Each structure stands twice: as C-alpha cells, then as structure tokens.
Amino acid sequence: MKFLIGSDAALAAKGQVAEVFWDTHRLVNGHTLLLGMSGAGKTHTLKRMISALQKQSPNTRFHVFDVHGDISIEGASEVLYSANTPYGLQPLRVNPDLHYGGVLRCIENFTEIVGQTIGKLGARQEAVLRKILLDVYRLHGFVQEDPSTWFIDGEAHLISDGSDNRLYLDVPRAEKDSAKAFGARWDPSKSLWWIQTDQYEGGITRWAPKRSGRTFPSIDDVINYANRGSQQADQNVVSGSRPGGGDAVGDLQQGGHGHAPADDSRAPRGPGGTQPGRRGERGA
C-alpha cells in the first residue's frame, strides 16, 4: 500500500519539490508518527490516510483509538471504552506464549499499573497484592507452574441466556447465607444461586455472574476476593478468634501494618497491670 503524505519541507525551502510517500513495499518499519501544532492537520491527515488505504485494500481492518473523540470516519463501527460501558481493556488476560512469562508476568504488569496510578506501593503492599492476584488466578484455573492452563479454549457464556429473567451467580458454598440475605434464590436443578436480572444491583453484585467455561479474572473478581477476605478478617477480630500478626488484606489496606493496635496501652493486661509476655512494673 502507498500513501502520499506531503512534500519534503527542507527541499521545498530551496525551491525543489520532493513528494514523501508512506510505502509498505519500501518501509523496513511501518510505524509512523504525526507531529504538529493544534490545527496543523494531524487528524485530517490520518483520516485521509485511512481513506486512501481502504480504497487500495478494502479487506484491511483499521483500529483507531480515539482518545479525544474528534475522529469521525464514515462507515466505521464504534465502541466506547469507559467505566459506564461493558467494554474496556483486560489487564489480567494471560498471554499463552511460553516465553512471555505467564501468570507472574501479568501480575507484575498489573502491580506496576496500580503503582503508577495511585502512587508507589510499599513492599508489603506489593507482596499482598501479588498474593491476592495469585489466589484469584488459581480460582479461575490459571496456574503459573502449568503453562497448559494459560490459554482458554472457546468462549465462556452466561449460564442463562436471559429469557427466564434469571442471572446465575458464582457464590461459594461458605457465602450462601450472605447471598440469600441479599435476595439470591437456590436452583436445585443447576445447584446454583440466582437473582432476577433487573435486581442485580447493590450488595448482590459482590458475586459475579456464573459462566460456563473458563474466563480470565477481572478487576471486579480481584476486588470481591479482597473484600471477602477483609470481611472475614473483621469478623475474626470481633469474635476474638483471629491470630495475631496481621492479615494479608489488612496489610494491603493499611499500608502493610496489619490490624495490630498502634498504642500498646490498649493491649490486654495480666494480673497486676502487666501486659502478657512483657516485663513491666506492677500497677498501683
């Protein structure tokens, strides 16, 4: 394919005319960078380029990532990537290439993205985030030590097509009572919990829709897993059954310091006012 970009500006200043082409038959590297001040014609040139190349190769597919929303191409199909649409990029998708690094490479990339977005994480926070991601990947059937699990054969689908107004949920056995409290109902024929499609909002959304086949974990899966761990930790603290030394989710939430009391004067005291396991003067 060949496209006329313009004329050589340096030669034009000398009164010479030399046309500049983007020619796939001559280029070693097809990457092109268009630079110019606002209003210089970058968008116009890009649209001209796509139009010309489409005429030369009608079956070629062009993907345009329009960050500013000012590129309009006749006949193009459009998908809006945003927090309010079901479309977006999947940062937790595992590349099945053995040389790419598998699950651990995805975890490293995701951790780096989080650090660049919200600020550098502490060493313990990074360790906890990696542990949570490893757990979530394993729950979805992706194991770092087994490269055969890094790819998905076929596309996953919702258990119901929606014609019965049922949305089946992925509810662990230990959380069935909580799901029931949020309105979930049990389907003995499928051994799954479900809720009416139009009622999937609020607290019930902590459980993702159940799908047939495997899927890559989503950010919602990671958040829900961390929330469940946090809620379990809080329950253990209230019941007094939680062992000392902090928990993974607590470390992530509190910058790697767990739930241990900052002021040891609030720790339980033994007879005579001494704290168990410590030496101190007897109280008055």
Side-chain angles (χ1 to χ4, degrees):
M1 293 184 289
K2 187 176 181 179
F3 169 70
L4 175 61
I5 296 178
S7 301
D8 188 313
L11 294 179
K14 300 177 181 179
Q16 304 176 30
V17 177
E19 295 180 326
V20 178
F21 289 90
W22 183 85
D23 190 345
T24 58
H25 297 291
R26 301 181 60 186
L27 290 172
V28 176
N29 189 325
H31 295 167
T32 302
L33 178 64
L34 299 178
L35 298 175
M37 298 175 58
S38 179
K42 299 184 296 297
T43 300
H44 177 70
T45 301
L46 178 62
K47 292 171 63 175
R48 244 185 354 105
M49 186 176 189
I50 293 175
S51 177
L53 297 180
Q54 279 182 323
K55 293 177 181 178
Q56 298 177 42
S57 180
N59 294 326
T60 300
R61 190 176 184 87
F62 296 86
H63 296 272
V64 179
F65 292 85
D66 183 7
V67 178
H68 300 290
D70 58 355
I71 301 178
S72 177
I73 299 176
E74 185 178 355
S77 58
E78 298 182 0
V79 173
L80 178 62
Y81 284 10
S82 81
N84 294 320
T85 68
Y87 308 106
L89 301 178
Q90 168 54 296
L92 298 177
R93 185 182 185 91
V94 180
N95 188 327
D97 187 340
L98 293 176
H99 302 289
Y100 192 75
V103 173
L104 289 183
R105 177 64 179 271
C106 290
I107 291 176
E108 292 299 324
N109 290 343
F110 185 80
T111 302
E112 183 178 351
I113 291 173
V114 171
Q116 292 174 347
T117 303
I118 66 175
K120 183 173 176 56
L121 299 176
R124 290 182 66 182
Q125 287 178 310
E126 284 192 6
V128 170
L129 180 56
R130 291 193 187 99
K131 178 64 170 61
I132 290 174
L133 289 168
L134 271 175
D135 288 348
V136 173
Y137 271 116
R138 284 185 178 274
L139 288 174
H140 283 73
F142 297 88
V143 182
Q144 172 63 24
E145 297 78 15
D146 186 0
S148 67
T149 67
W150 296 357
F151 71 95
I152 292 179
D153 185 12
E155 186 175 347
H157 301 278
L158 293 174
I159 299 298
S160 171
D161 61 4
S163 59
D164 55 1
N165 196 30
R166 289 188 177 189
L167 181 65
Y168 288 91
L169 306 174
D170 191 5
V171 180
R173 182 183 297 272
E175 300 174 14
K176 60 183 181 64
D177 292 336
S178 298
K180 185 176 180 179
F182 280 109
R185 306 175 191 177
W186 178 251
D187 183 342
S189 65
K190 289 185 171 61
S191 297
L192 291 172
W193 291 90
W194 64 276
I195 195 166
Q196 291 184 1
T197 305
D198 58 357
Q199 294 180 358
Y200 187 64
E201 57 184 7
I204 195 67
T205 59
R206 63 182 280 193
W207 295 282
K210 183 71 174 178
R211 298 177 183 272
S212 62
R214 290 201 308 150
T215 62
F216 292 107
S218 67
I219 293 179
D220 284 340
D221 293 327
V222 176
I223 294 174
N224 290 334
Y225 181 85
N227 285 339
R228 289 198 294 270
S230 178
Q231 291 168 1
Q232 182 62 47
D234 290 341
Q235 291 174 3
N236 289 337
V237 170
V238 172
S239 65
S241 61
R242 176 181 165 275
D247 65 276
V249 177
D251 285 345
L252 182 61
Q253 292 173 330
Q254 301 189 19
H257 298 294
H259 290 289
D263 181 3
D264 61 12
S265 65
R266 294 178 292 171
R269 293 181 178 274
T274 59
Q275 296 178 4
R278 296 185 57 178
R279 294 181 179 180
E281 297 181 357
R282 297 177 63 87

